[in-house]
Amino acid sequence: MISMHGQVMEKLLQGEFICTVSDEIAFGFLQQAEAADKIEAQLNQMNRTLVSANDGQVFYCGYQTLGDNERKHLSQQFKDIGGALLPLVEWLVLVQEAQGDKALLTAGKVIRLQELQLVIEDTPAFSEQLQKIARYSLFNSTSISSDGQLKQIFKRLLDLGYLLKPNKDKQIFIATGKVDYLFDVIRFIDENEKLALAEQSKVETEQGELL
């Protein structure tokens, strides 16, 4: 039988995101300083490190140092995420607005599908936004009904690990820590784009001065 240490290592190396929603026991294990230190030491031997997001509410595995191979792998990851970023962000905004929630969706927040559907169907602007989101290749819904569109979207989000469905007989979903990771990626891209723009502006200014 695999120890808790082994189970957590396996999850991290498989790219899973560990939070109270996805795995409460493993999350509690990583919150123990001694256990986290041992995990970190073992990960370091493989050029990996234990990373947390949302003030320690989700753990995942990252690279310790970046070489050519690591950069290539990360570039592919960001490319994959980048392709899904727009539909995911639009979905997050739709849920936030439809639920009348000022705070962003984060790990542990509950989404009741039927309640969300009622609000969307009663608001033409939300219905139009849902149709747009459902047509993205990430969700690839061919349904013309809000019910079918929402079910396809939520199925994909379950498959991708952004949501969990604790009870298979109830249309109640819980956001996982992978949502918090998504916001970290958005912030990273935003900061790097600003940096790139600042560097470009500096170069253009210097070129102007030379002219």
Side-chain angles (χ1 to χ4, degrees):
M1 185 175 180
I2 304 177
S3 66
M4 178 52 63
H5 180 98
Q7 291 178 43
V8 171
M9 280 292 298
E10 187 174 4
K11 284 177 177 290
L12 290 168
L13 291 173
Q14 287 176 348
E16 293 189 28
F17 295 80
I18 299 174
C19 64
T20 55
V21 178
S22 63
D23 193 327
E24 188 174 1
I25 295 175
F27 179 76
F29 179 80
L30 286 172
Q31 283 194 309
Q32 301 172 31
E34 185 178 352
D37 287 344
K38 288 181 180 179
I39 290 286
E40 176 69 9
Q42 191 170 351
L43 286 173
N44 290 168
Q45 295 175 18
M46 295 174 278
N47 190 28
R48 303 291 198 279
T49 185
L50 185 63
V51 186
S52 66
N54 191 21
D55 296 326
Q57 295 305 302
V58 56
F59 294 97
Y60 59 94
C61 181
Y63 287 110
Q64 188 176 20
T65 57
L66 294 178
D68 291 340
N69 290 333
E70 289 79 12
R71 290 182 188 279
K72 186 182 296 184
H73 184 251
L74 280 177
S75 294
Q76 184 59 49
Q77 277 189 330
F78 278 118
K79 184 179 179 181
D80 294 341
I81 293 172
L85 202 57
L86 183 58
L88 286 170
V89 169
E90 290 188 5
W91 174 78
L92 287 167
V93 171
L94 175 62
V95 171
Q96 183 181 5
E97 292 180 346
Q99 293 191 145
D101 196 344
K102 292 182 180 180
L104 293 170
L105 190 69
T106 189
K109 283 200 173 182
V110 175
I111 306 173
R112 291 176 170 81
L113 182 56
Q114 292 178 338
E115 291 180 7
L116 182 66
Q117 183 177 337
L118 286 173
V119 174
I120 289 174
E121 289 177 343
D122 285 343
T123 312
F126 291 162
S127 295
E128 290 180 14
Q129 186 65 10
L130 174 63
Q131 290 176 24
K132 178 186 174 185
I133 294 168
R135 286 195 296 267
Y136 280 118
S137 59
L138 177 68
F139 303 120
N140 199 28
S141 173
T142 57
S143 176
I144 59 173
S145 70
S146 59
D147 178 68
Q149 292 163 359
L150 281 169
K151 285 180 178 176
Q152 174 64 12
I153 290 171
F154 275 67
K155 180 181 180 300
R156 284 290 291 137
L157 293 170
L158 281 171
D159 293 341
L160 293 168
Y162 290 101
L163 298 176
L164 280 182
K165 188 180 180 185
N167 189 327
K168 65 178 183 179
D169 298 321
K170 294 183 179 180
Q171 296 297 318
I172 298 175
F173 300 82
I174 303 177
T176 72
K178 193 170 182 180
V179 171
D180 297 297
Y181 169 73
L182 179 63
F183 286 123
D184 272 5
V185 171
I186 292 169
R187 280 189 287 268
F188 175 83
I189 292 172
D190 184 54
E191 288 169 3
N192 278 269
E193 282 183 348
K194 286 179 180 176
L195 181 61
L197 287 172
E199 289 177 348
Q200 182 180 349
S201 176
K202 182 180 178 182
V203 169
E204 289 174 352
T205 300
E206 290 174 349
Q207 289 175 340
E209 288 175 352
L210 289 172
L211 291 171

